Amino acid sequence: MDKKPCNSHDVEVRKGPWTMEEDLILINYIANHGEGVWNSLAKAAGLKRTGKSCRLRWLNYLRPDVRRGNISQEEELLIIELHSKWGNRWSKIAKHLPGRTDNEIKNYWRTRIQKHIKQADQTNNYSAHQSNSKAADHQQASTSHVSGSSVADPMEVYSPPSYPYNTMGTFPVGTFPEQLPMESNEQNYWSLEEFWSMQLLNGD
DNA sequence: AAACAGATCAACCGCGCTTCA
DNA sequence: TTGAAGCGCGGTTGATCTGTT
């Protein structure tokens, strides 16, 4: 299937961003028939998408309990804690953050947290280098805990207090929460009903 | 105002695990 | 027991957005 083309009859497969029409078809189909058996679902719904693509779209975006935007400090700390426990087991981590998807957490980790780890690492390496030079002069036995090779897990050099975030949980650069076009921060959830009423308003 | 660079995130890809005939 | 099919996961890519010069 994934390892080889699973369409025996050369069905054209769409790729790229999902259209609202496709979203509607998928939502409607799942609302009526439930999720699961994604390959046959895709065919039965008349979507020119792979089952995989449908599953991903549903789980990461269309599911009514998906929470979007504004990862709180509590959630962030939880992500950090769980990542230090389990590593890149994003789906496992996501299970402990209701409404968050593995993809979202993975992206968040890579774009935000990992960046800060690198920065902290560089800073620490720099200061470690500085202090090591001095230490060498003084024949001190002070071993730096950020010697790179001795650190198996980047979390060990990661120090949450060094975040550039303020205590209000806002972000220094223009990140998503304030820029979401429609919802206020309280409205991180949206339901099928809301989606459908949006469709009615749009006349679609 | 335009060009460029960096950040973000949706979506795809490939691999490995599970299930079932 | 084995091979095919389905599914889930983690890594990666590319389009878009935002900030800076």
Side-chain angles (χ1 to χ4, degrees), chain A residues 109-169:
Chain A
W109 179 268
R110 293 181 68 84
T111 57
R112 318 282 176 88
I113 301 176
Q114 205 167 54
K115 190 176 72 183
H116 297 314
I117 290 172
K118 273 184 188 166
Q119 284 172 354
D121 201 20
Q122 279 172 358
T123 309
N124 286 338
N125 276 336
Y126 176 75
S127 53
H129 179 259
Q130 300 275 67
S131 57
N132 279 347
S133 307
K134 289 176 185 173
D137 288 345
H138 295 105
Q139 295 289 311
Q140 277 285 53
S142 61
T143 52
S144 167
H145 66 290
V146 283
S147 58
S149 60
S150 66
V151 178
D153 189 334
M155 292 312 302
E156 290 184 29
V157 299
Y158 182 60
S159 50
S162 70
Y163 296 179
Y165 311 158
N166 63 33
T167 52
M168 302 297 285

